[in-house]
Amino acid sequence: MKRLPIVIDLETKYTFRDFSDPKKLGISVLALYDYNSNQSFTFLEDEIGRSFAYFENASYIIGYNILSFDLPVFQAYYPGKIESFSVFDILEDIREKIGRRLGLNDLITATLNKRKTGHGLAAIDYFKNKEFDKLKKYCLDDVMLTKELFDFGVKNKKIYYLTPVGKEEIKT
């Protein structure tokens, strides 16, 4: 079977106000899109082990801010070393190209004319209120928007962000 990438996002049970160590934030839900099967999946905390094979069989892992956030949080659950994964972090790629960080929603709005369906802090409330369907949907929506942004960049060799004077292009 040919190895293809996955796109990931996860939400946590706690914020950095609660714990400074990402490994203590706890995963409430992990969502991924698998290019190999053209399917998306969500895993609540007690199901995270079922996601390991997707990570291990992916050619690389795509996400937004995954080097600084998602993967360090995931490491608390994963028995191997996350450093062994090949990773494409869209946020880090942008930071290297333009010298600063941009919000995912800003890129999605400028490039795809869409918006995120919520905010990460709402996901913590969904978890606390046991609204697991809303939590899964929010996280999976972020994965699919990240995938769409990545696919746009690959196809068009550029993505956009908004500035006070209009759209600016980032060559991919």
Side-chain angles (χ1 to χ4, degrees):
M1 171 169 55
K2 184 177 178 185
R3 290 172 43 125
L4 294 173
I6 61 172
V7 180
I8 68 154
D9 185 40
L10 62 79
E11 301 303 327
T12 60
K13 299 189 293 185
Y14 305 102
T15 71
F16 282 115
R17 284 185 221 122
D18 299 308
F19 300 102
S20 60
D21 181 356
K23 292 178 185 169
K24 293 182 179 178
L25 297 177
I27 297 174
S28 61
V29 67
L30 181 144
L32 66 82
Y33 176 84
D34 177 32
Y35 278 92
N36 203 43
S37 65
N38 292 315
Q39 291 183 298
S40 57
F41 304 92
T42 57
F43 306 93
L44 293 174
E45 183 180 38
D46 63 344
E47 305 166 321
I48 295 297
R50 293 185 13 225
S51 73
F52 295 170
Y54 292 98
F55 282 78
E56 292 165 352
N57 294 314
S59 57
Y60 57 100
I61 299 162
I62 301 164
Y64 200 85
N65 195 30
I66 61 173
L67 287 171
S68 297
F69 183 73
D70 301 72
L71 291 176
V73 172
F74 182 71
Q75 181 64 82
Y77 296 80
Y78 184 67
K81 296 286 183 199
I82 59 169
E83 297 83 12
S84 67
F85 299 133
S86 296
V87 175
F88 180 74
D89 188 326
I90 298 169
L91 177 62
E92 284 303 308
D93 186 62
I94 289 167
R95 188 190 55 74
E96 289 172 12
K97 289 182 168 131
I98 68 169
R100 63 188 177 103
R101 298 165 54 105
L102 298 170
L104 177 60
N105 202 45
D106 296 332
L107 297 163
I108 291 167
T109 300
T111 305
L112 306 173
N113 200 28
K114 295 183 177 183
R115 298 194 65 73
K116 286 178 43 125
T117 57
H119 190 277
L121 293 177
I124 291 174
D125 289 336
Y126 294 151
F127 171 75
K128 287 179 180 174
N129 296 327
K130 299 186 184 339
E131 296 177 283
F132 299 117
D133 288 340
K134 286 182 182 179
L135 178 63
K136 288 178 181 180
K137 182 182 180 331
Y138 168 73
C139 191
L140 191 54
D141 285 348
D142 269 11
V143 163
M144 297 313 291
L145 287 168
T146 301
K147 176 199 176 295
E148 197 173 340
L149 180 68
F150 176 80
D151 290 346
F152 183 98
V154 168
K155 180 181 177 186
N156 298 287
K157 308 281 189 250
K158 61 186 169 191
I159 60 174
Y160 298 96
Y161 66 101
L162 297 175
T163 69
V165 294
K167 280 187 184 183
E168 290 287 328
E169 182 178 293
I170 303 170
K171 294 212 182 287
T172 59

